[in-house]
Amino acid sequence: MIKNAAVLVVGAGPAGLVLANLLQEAGISTVVLERGSREHVQTRARAGFLGAHSAKVLTEHGLGAGMLHNGQSHGTCAFRYGDSQFELDYSTLGRSEVHTVYPQQNLVTDLIAAYLERGGDLRFGATVTGIGTASATVRYQDSTGTGEVSGRFIAGCDGSNGVTRTALPAGLVTRCGRDHGIAWLAVLAEAPQSMSAVTYAVHRNGFAGHMARSPHVTRYYLQVPANDDPAGWQDDRIWSELALRMRADTFGQLKEGRITERRIVRLRSDVVDPMQHERLFLAGDAASLISPSAAKGANLAILQAEVLARAFTDALVRDDESALNAYSRTCLPRIWRAQEFSHWMINLLHGPSGTGQEADFHRALHRTRLDNLRDCRAQQDLFAEHYVGI
Ligand code: RFL
């Protein structure tokens, strides 16, 4: 039996946990229902790059101790293409902001600990199966059977395959999106970073990426055919393909290590508009899935959780629902700005395939786009502003 609370939060990812912590800080009762086990959510490796705004939100609300202590500040990225490489020190470009590298599973672990330490009600193994948007009721299933819990509001923070977005009535809500037709083999290696910067390599065989996660763990990406089987990618094959696309012979060998994760990630994006109906409000991937090409998903989730926490607080403490009514209007322009930049990054990182005059034409345009970023200060400032900002 789960006790009723003012806000029922579905999902304990970055969106749900930041929201629950901020509401708890404002003295608003919450209950978080999470399908997975605590161990599952605390070990789910996904994001790693937190933008300046995310770091600020976490720090301002006393949730940033782990990030500040163990995270690494990161302010450069490099592009390799043809036989050249250039580096952008984005900490000195645009708004002179940096990323903090802090693995998402560590952040989720910190947020769970903070919420529970302050007496939060978080139910693991509780799968939400139905939503009453007008009554703010949630039906769930856990090890004891099925149950129902009521509140004043529901926050749908259960990701892009969750149940809350399906509760928005089709006739009143539009959902647009696309499968970019591109897949990455996402790899985690028990190895220190091979380069000092995030490195994006454009190669005829496809894109390859290198990103730090911690002093002992590095994330790599390899563009692969959309229906590829990760089991076909043995460690040796991964390292040799990475070395080829990263031009390791020219720019330095990769620091290899045991590969602990290999999974196919399809690049997909979508946006739900509006992100709210009656008493239900979506945040994070539930509202908008964004491809990982520009590392925006967790950052958008934190931003929306912050906006939503403020709006719920206005409604519940000050009896003012104007911010809640404007929630979608407040968030959607920022979501679209992040979507636009992520889409631009997809085009920058993936060269055209095939042969023939048309492919050659697109290849030359693509190379010129990279040259422009290398040579044009105005482009670099714009890039930096969108790359770290939200
Ligand atoms: P999450 O993290 O998916 O959490 C949703 C939670 O809801 C639970 N759930 C349910 N609970 C109860 N009942 C149900 N019916 C439920 N259905 C689902 C799930 O178990 C889960 O715990 O969503 P949230 O909070 O919106 O956070 C979004 C981020 O996780 C996501 O956008 C990022 O990971 C995207 N992303 C990155 N974002 C960044 O900002 N920077 C990065 O560097 C970055 N790298 C990445 C990424 C995503 C990746 N993948 C795997 C797609 C790298 C990768 C490889």
Side-chain angles (χ1 to χ4, degrees):
M1 174 76 178
I2 296 178
K3 275 205 318 253
N4 292 345
V7 180
L8 314 177
V9 180
V10 185
L17 290 168
V18 169
L19 176 67
N21 272 288
L22 267 50
L23 291 175
Q24 190 180 43
E25 185 188 29
I28 292 166
S29 65
T30 49
V31 57
V32 182
L33 297 123
E34 165 56 47
R35 182 179 57 189
S37 66
R38 184 169 183 176
E39 199 209 339
H40 170 75
V41 297
Q42 292 191 165
T43 52
R44 210 164 64 121
R46 305 184 94 199
F49 273 65
L50 295 173
H53 185 78
S54 301
K56 180 166 161 271
V57 171
L58 296 170
T59 310
E60 275 179 5
H61 293 279
L63 302 168
M67 174 194 72
L68 294 172
H69 192 250
N70 299 313
Q72 297 164 273
S73 176
H74 200 100
T76 52
C77 62
F79 295 85
R80 293 180 180 177
Y81 62 111
D83 53 8
S84 66
Q85 151 168 293
F86 70 90
E87 208 167 283
L88 292 182
D89 177 0
Y90 57 83
S91 70
T92 62
L93 296 162
R95 295 177 194 218
S96 303
E97 291 173 330
V98 292
H99 283 113
T100 304
V101 182
Y102 192 55
Q104 179 168 326
Q105 67 273 27
N106 297 6
L107 175 64
V108 163
T109 301
D110 296 349
L111 293 169
I112 289 172
Y115 182 64
L116 294 178
E117 263 163 32
R118 291 189 253 159
D121 188 354
L122 201 175
R123 307 300 174 111
F124 293 103
T127 302
V128 170
T129 54
I131 302 284
T133 57
S135 53
T137 43
V138 160
R139 281 184 303 286
Y140 65 90
Q141 203 160 16
D142 63 14
S143 58
T144 64
T146 58
E148 193 168 279
V149 57
S150 295
R152 287 279 307 279
F153 300 108
I154 303 168
C157 305
D158 49 347
S160 61
N161 296 315
V163 70
T164 58
R165 58 158 57 185
T166 65
L168 300 172
L172 296 178
V173 169
T174 58
R175 182 178 158 183
C176 59
R178 80 179 296 234
D179 182 328
H180 299 277
I182 293 170
W184 288 355
L185 182 74
V187 168
L188 277 177
E190 276 178 354
Q193 54 189 110
S194 298
M195 306 132 210
S196 57
V198 167
T199 301
Y200 303 104
V202 177
H203 190 274
R204 267 184 186 259
N205 286 10
F207 162 71
H210 159 277
M211 276 129 231
R213 280 295 185 259
S214 75
H216 313 291
V217 175
T218 303
R219 187 173 283 290
Y220 287 95
Y221 293 116
L222 278 173
Q223 184 185 354
V224 294
N227 295 316
D228 216 354
D229 179 2
W233 285 91
Q234 303 309 321
D235 288 23
D236 284 355
R237 185 177 171 209
I238 290 174
W239 288 116
S240 67
E241 192 60 27
L242 282 169
L244 176 75
R245 297 189 195 180
M246 290 274 173
R247 287 99 167 153
D249 284 346
T250 308
F251 297 112
Q253 296 305 316
L254 304 180
K255 293 181 182 153
E256 299 185 9
R258 194 169 70 92
I259 287 175
T260 55
E261 185 192 283
R262 75 202 77 211
R263 53 185 296 208
I264 303 286
V265 177
R266 285 185 75 109
L267 271 53
R268 291 198 179 100
S269 312
D270 69 20
V271 179
V272 174
D273 181 357
M275 304 152 56
Q276 63 195 84
H277 180 63
E278 297 179 325
R279 309 272 99 191
L280 169 66
F281 297 80
L282 304 185
D285 283 8
S288 173
L289 177 68
I290 187 158
S291 86
S293 55
K296 293 290 180 206
N299 292 292
L300 278 179
I302 292 170
L303 173 80
Q304 289 158 42
E306 183 201 19
V307 173
L308 191 52
R310 224 179 294 132
F312 279 147
T313 307
D314 279 356
L316 291 163
V317 177
R318 289 178 271 284
D319 204 20
D320 173 3
E321 293 202 0
S322 53
L324 265 187
N325 293 335
Y327 173 62
S328 300
R329 282 201 305 282
T330 306
C331 291
L332 282 165
R334 295 169 188 195
I335 289 174
W336 276 112
R337 216 168 293 152
Q339 290 283 6
E340 195 282 323
F341 182 69
S342 293
H343 198 247
W344 182 86
M345 280 291 277
I346 288 176
N347 288 329
L348 191 75
L349 301 180
H350 302 90
S353 55
T355 53
Q357 285 191 13
E358 198 174 319
D360 287 344
F361 180 79
H362 283 292
R363 208 164 277 122
L365 287 184
H366 185 245
R367 204 169 41 244
T368 308
R369 203 172 296 144
L370 284 154
D371 290 345
N372 285 342
L373 188 59
R374 181 192 60 200
D375 300 335
C376 173
R377 172 69 198 236
Q379 278 258 7
Q380 294 170 359
D381 282 326
L382 198 63
F383 170 85
E385 189 167 330
H386 286 276
Y387 190 57
V388 204
I390 201 105

